[in-house]
């Protein structure tokens, strides 16, 4: 095995300074960027430090002892410890920066830090950007003439806060109406609201996975990290076309289309937000942050940014690093000061949904070499581990979504989703227990895999002659027939006996479409392997992402050559990882920062300008023998 490439930081090797921390008594050594808090360094590496506030500096439970390298105590340390304890090196981990190498003693846990399992089985210690604090304040007097706002900010002096205009507008009325018993709402370092009474139990965020076809919203209770409600709907932009190209084209042909598409995206997000809040009995005004993960085109359009540069060579983004966005800018009617965390895209064809998916998969923290494949019309592929990550996009075409397939359809009622074949016959599973009306992507893959396995399709993807079929699969040979000049295999007979056009069948051309799609994907990951100087056997884990990835059986994916031939248990369908990444960004500012840092850590490999792409693609058309 040759050496893997160094992680491309985009700064020619000038990465951030790192420090080594040794946590006692476990003896765990971690390496983290200088300047992160000891609390974050520990929680990021799965080392639990006591806490009930999640690192916000309010519980004073995150006690650690700096065995060497103790910095000057913070103002909060001075309140939390006696002078003797401070001399002995005791500090609050969430207020102590890892400035240099250090040895740190972590006492046994007294309380369990709040954590949530999100992403691909990841444990995330709760530390949302949004927090609420209940305050009981002294009334103003002639001896205490501080302003209303100062009164609130002084009670929060462990945080360095500024107030936004909304908070300044409401604070006076709220303080008086609520007898100076109020809740401060804080987003990062900004006081965004002051509310009457104790509202600390009501604090929510909404994570959106904005897909070209489907949009999913999850309402998260940010005080517990648990999902309170989930809802999904079709993207209301559907009438403009099924894929991103048709929607970009619409904006290029009609100047009014962008506004219309943006409004439809907002409509979809707003109605899902209303639906999840209603389902959980939550007041939308108690949603203080939303997160959105989508491909580059969907993200551009939702923000009202012209997507034209994405659709024409040389395929660039109109905007990569996005300005601060509010939920209101995306048409979502929640708290008026709620911010929106929008996952930025790597490039025109590797979008924010992939940034979010990588975060959820933890690829950037794993020592194993892993392959991440998000299968769709455009297939995004990432290879790497915690030291380096390479990404590319392969044009797989619409076969996996059932389009461009003669009897293809979306995964809806009537679609054949599972096909099990033996030489004696076949069994179908149909969505909605309806009569089969067509074939969706997973059914297509099952059917082709079954036919390859039984020998009815040879490794070049051709149907074998009818005469030979009877010997290979006596119970299926009668289904192998012709429609006009084309060979077809009938999966479900409909209409009169032998009425092929009325039936659900797989044609020779359909098999070719699938071969094109799988060849594009296999070429993509093989080129990434080559760039990394690795072989397929070096891949230790494969993650199949996206809605199609979750229906695809790992065994079939290997059999077709869509993924490397590694033990089947190491190929995992990961489901909606983009939505999971969006949830993680709401639950933990650390995870959010790690997600944004990915932008600098992934090196993009362009396939379209490679002279050898076509030859490599043709090599990958055959099914493995
Ligand atoms: S984690 Fe609560 S004060 Fe440090």
């Amino acid at each position: 095995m040759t050496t893997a490439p160094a992680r491309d930081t985009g700064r020619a090797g000038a990465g951030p300074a790192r420090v080594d921390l040794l946590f006692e008594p476990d003896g765990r050594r971690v390496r983290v960027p200088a300047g992160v808090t000891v609390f974050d360094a520990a929680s990021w590496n799965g080392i639990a430090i006591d806490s009930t506030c999640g690192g916000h500096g309010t519980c004073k439970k995150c006690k650690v002892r700096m065995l060497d390298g103790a910095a000057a105590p913070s103002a909060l340390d001075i309140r939390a410890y006696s002078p003797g304890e401070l001399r002995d090196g005791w500090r609050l981990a969430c207020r102590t920066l890892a400035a240099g190498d250090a040895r740190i003693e972590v006492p046994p846990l007294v309380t369990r830090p709040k954590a949530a399992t999100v992403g691909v089985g990841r444990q995330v210690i709760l530390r949302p950007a949004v927090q609420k604090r209940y305050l009981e304040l002294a009334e103003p007097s002639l001896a205490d003439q501080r302003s209303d706002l100062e009164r609130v900010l002084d009670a929060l002096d462990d945080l360095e806060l500024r107030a936004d205009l909304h908070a300044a507008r409401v604070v006076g009325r709220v303080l008086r109406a609520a007898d100076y018993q109020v809740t401060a709402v804080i987003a990062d370092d900004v006081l965004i609201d002051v509310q009457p009474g104790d509202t600390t139990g009501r604090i929510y965020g909404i994570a959106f996975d904005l897909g070209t076809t489907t949009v999913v919203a999850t309402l998260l209770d940010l005080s517990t990290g648990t999902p309170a409600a989930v809802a999904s709907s079709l993207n209301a932009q559907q009438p403009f076309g099924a894929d991103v190209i048709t929607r970009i084209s619409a904006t290029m042909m009609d100047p009014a289309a962008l506004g219309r598409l943006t409004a439809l995206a907002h409509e979809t997000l707003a109605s899902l937000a209303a639906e999840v809040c209603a389902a959980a009995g939550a007041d939308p005004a108690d949603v203080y942050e939303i997160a959105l993960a989508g491909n580059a085109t969907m993200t551009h359009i939702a923000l009202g940014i012209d997507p034209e540069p994405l659709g024409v060579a040389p395929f660039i983004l109109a905007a990569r690093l996005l300005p601060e966005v509010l939920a209101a800018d995306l048409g979502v009617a929640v708290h008026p000061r709620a911010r929106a965390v929008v996952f930025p895209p790597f490039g025109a064809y590797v979008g924010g949904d992939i940034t979010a998916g990588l975060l959820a998969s933890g690829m950037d923290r794993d020592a194993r070499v892993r392959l991440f494949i998000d299968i769709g019309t455009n297939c995004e592929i990432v290879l790497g581990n915690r030291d380096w990550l390479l990404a590319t996009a392969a044009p797989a075409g619409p076969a996996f979504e059932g389009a461009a397939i003669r009897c293809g359809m979306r995964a809806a009622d009537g679609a054949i989703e599972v096909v099990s074949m033996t030489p004696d016959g076949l069994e179908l599973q149909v969505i909605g227990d309806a009569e089969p009306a067509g074939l969706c992507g997973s059914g297509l893959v099952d059917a082709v895999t079954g036919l390859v396995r039984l020998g009815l399709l040879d490794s070049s993807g051709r149907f074998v002659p009818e005469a030979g079929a009877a010997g290979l699969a006596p119970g299926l040979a009668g289904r192998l027939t012709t429609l006009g000049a084309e060979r077809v295999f009938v999966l479900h007979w409909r209409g009169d006996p032998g009425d092929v056009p009325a039936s659900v069948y797989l044609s020779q051309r359909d098999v070719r479409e699938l071969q094109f799609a799988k060849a594009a994907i296999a070429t993509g990951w093989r080129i990434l392997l080559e760039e990394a100087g690795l072989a397929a056997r070096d891949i230790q884990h494969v993650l199949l992402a996206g809605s199609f990835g979750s229906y695809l059986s790992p065994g079939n994916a290997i059999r077709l050559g869509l993924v490397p031939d590694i033990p089947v248990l190491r190929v995992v369908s990961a489901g909606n990882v983009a939505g999971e990444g969006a949830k993680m960004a709401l639950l933990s500012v650390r995870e959010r920062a790690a997600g944004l840092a990915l932008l600098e850590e992934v090196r993009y490999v362009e396939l379209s300008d490679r002279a050898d792409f076509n030859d490599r693609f043709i090599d990958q058309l055959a099914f493995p023998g």
Side-chain angles (χ1 to χ4, degrees):
M1 191 171 90
T2 51
T3 317
R7 178 177 281 192
D8 183 353
T9 63
R11 290 186 296 267
R18 304 244 164 190
V19 296
D20 285 316
L21 303 181
L22 178 63
F23 286 95
E24 302 284 17
D26 290 357
R28 286 272 314 272
R29 192 180 291 278
V30 305
R31 196 163 167 73
V32 295
V36 303
T37 66
V38 169
F39 184 84
D40 284 341
S43 60
W44 208 2
N45 287 284
I47 298 165
I49 291 183
D50 231 331
S51 161
T52 51
C53 76
H56 280 302
T58 54
C59 70
K60 302 192 182 66
K61 290 195 170 11
C62 57
K63 299 186 172 176
V64 293
R65 190 152 75 96
M66 306 300 288
L67 297 172
D68 51 35
S74 67
L76 215 57
D77 286 323
I78 292 168
R79 275 185 256 158
Y81 297 108
S82 69
E85 287 173 320
L86 291 173
R87 263 196 311 279
D88 282 348
W90 286 99
R91 298 286 185 274
L92 293 176
C94 72
R95 286 294 172 273
T96 303
L97 302 183
D101 295 351
R103 230 159 37 94
I104 301 158
E105 179 188 331
V106 181
L109 293 188
V110 179
T111 56
R112 273 212 75 70
K114 286 186 201 164
T117 305
V118 276
V120 185
R122 305 259 323 267
Q123 272 274 308
V124 169
I125 295 188
L126 275 195
R127 195 186 168 187
V130 182
Q131 57 168 316
K132 281 186 165 186
R133 296 265 191 101
Y134 175 60
L135 308 171
E136 295 185 355
L137 303 170
E139 291 188 24
S141 64
L142 287 176
D144 176 4
Q145 294 192 330
R146 286 173 301 162
S147 73
D148 292 329
L149 209 46
E150 278 171 305
R151 197 166 299 280
V152 172
L153 293 176
D154 284 352
L156 302 166
D157 67 344
D158 56 304
L159 306 169
E160 283 189 19
L161 294 181
R162 60 198 163 87
D164 84 356
L165 183 59
H166 176 80
R169 281 178 178 155
V170 300
V171 65
R173 201 162 14 91
V174 171
L175 284 182
R176 279 158 200 88
D179 238 357
Y180 292 82
Q181 296 177 0
V182 296
T183 298
V185 187
I186 299 144
D188 278 334
D189 58 349
V190 184
L191 177 71
I192 60 168
D193 203 359
V194 181
Q195 302 174 334
D198 183 352
T199 67
T200 48
R202 305 198 314 255
I203 179 166
Y204 296 96
I206 301 177
F208 290 103
D209 171 18
L210 175 60
T212 313
T213 309
T214 310
V215 186
V216 183
T218 306
L219 180 73
L220 285 172
D221 182 334
L222 298 180
S223 68
T224 59
T226 48
V230 183
S232 68
S233 73
L234 282 179
N235 187 327
Q237 297 172 342
Q238 285 289 318
F240 278 81
D243 55 43
V244 294
I245 299 298
T246 50
R247 296 192 204 162
I248 295 172
S249 310
T251 66
M252 288 162 71
M253 287 184 304
D254 173 7
L258 174 59
R260 183 78 193 112
L261 280 164
T262 301
L264 289 169
H266 291 186
E267 231 171 68
T268 310
L269 297 172
S271 76
L272 283 172
E275 193 179 330
V276 287
C277 287
D283 183 344
D286 283 323
V287 174
Y288 300 99
E289 199 164 56
I290 68 170
L292 182 118
N295 63 48
T297 305
M298 289 304 105
T299 304
H300 274 56
I301 292 176
L303 292 168
I305 299 172
D306 187 351
E308 182 175 338
L310 301 167
V312 292
F315 309 108
I316 59 156
L317 299 163
R320 181 162 173 257
L321 292 173
L322 300 163
E324 188 167 307
V325 178
L326 294 179
D329 297 322
L330 291 162
V332 181
V334 286
H335 188 278
R337 302 305 302 157
R339 289 178 311 177
V341 181
V342 180
F343 274 90
F346 294 118
Y349 288 97
V350 182
D353 49 348
I354 303 304
T355 320
L358 287 182
L359 176 66
S361 73
M363 264 181 87
D364 59 324
R365 319 234 175 121
D366 201 323
R368 296 173 297 172
V369 174
R370 297 167 82 195
L371 178 65
F372 172 101
I373 306 181
D374 190 320
I375 300 171
T377 309
N378 175 57
C379 177
E380 296 92 352
I381 306 167
V382 185
L383 175 75
N385 62 16
R386 64 185 176 200
D387 295 321
W388 55 274
L389 291 165
L390 299 174
T392 194
F400 289 123
E401 307 199 330
I405 298 296
R406 221 53 103 60
C407 295
M409 64 181 285
R410 283 205 185 288
D413 282 358
I416 299 172
E417 59 171 347
V418 177
V419 182
S420 318
M421 284 186 203
T422 66
D424 302 321
L426 60 74
E427 265 180 47
L428 306 176
Q429 274 178 37
V430 182
I431 298 176
D433 269 335
E435 166 156 28
L439 195 58
C440 67
S442 62
L444 170 72
V445 171
D446 270 7
V448 172
T449 314
L451 291 166
V452 171
R453 193 168 32 79
L454 294 175
L456 296 178
L457 277 171
D458 66 21
S459 67
S460 76
R462 246 191 311 268
F463 282 116
V464 295
E466 274 164 49
L472 291 164
L476 298 176
R479 294 173 179 268
L480 198 53
T481 176
T482 52
L483 180 60
E486 198 179 9
R487 309 282 310 282
V488 299
F489 180 85
V490 177
L491 289 158
H492 176 70
W493 290 105
R494 290 208 313 190
D496 296 330
D499 185 353
V500 178
S503 301
V504 181
Y505 57 86
L506 183 74
S507 73
Q508 184 67 70
R509 203 170 314 150
D510 297 338
V511 178
R512 290 277 176 255
E513 288 289 341
L514 182 71
Q515 284 178 282
F516 291 150
K518 87 103 184 169
I521 295 168
T523 307
W525 58 255
R526 281 174 188 278
I527 287 177
L528 291 188
L529 275 174
E530 204 174 279
E531 289 277 323
L534 299 178
R537 64 175 176 281
D538 296 322
I539 295 177
Q540 287 152 300
H541 194 240
V542 176
L543 217 56
L544 296 170
S547 55
F548 184 68
S550 26
Y551 294 117
L552 182 63
S553 113
N556 286 350
I558 294 173
R559 185 70 191 81
L560 291 181
L562 194 66
V563 302
D565 187 4
I566 62 173
V568 70
L569 288 177
R570 295 208 203 145
V571 180
V572 174
S573 296
N576 175 12
V577 283
E580 288 298 297
K583 284 191 224 166
M584 286 168 73
L586 289 179
L587 295 179
S588 159
V589 286
R590 271 316 308 174
E591 297 294 340
R592 180 183 308 179
L596 294 177
L598 280 169
L599 281 188
E600 300 302 327
E601 295 172 355
V602 175
R603 180 160 75 84
Y604 186 73
V605 177
E606 181 63 60
L607 296 185
S608 61
D609 62 354
R610 289 183 67 110
D612 60 345
F613 183 83
N614 278 350
D615 291 343
R616 309 279 303 264
F617 173 83
I618 289 165
D619 286 348
Q620 292 305 318
L621 285 170
F623 298 117

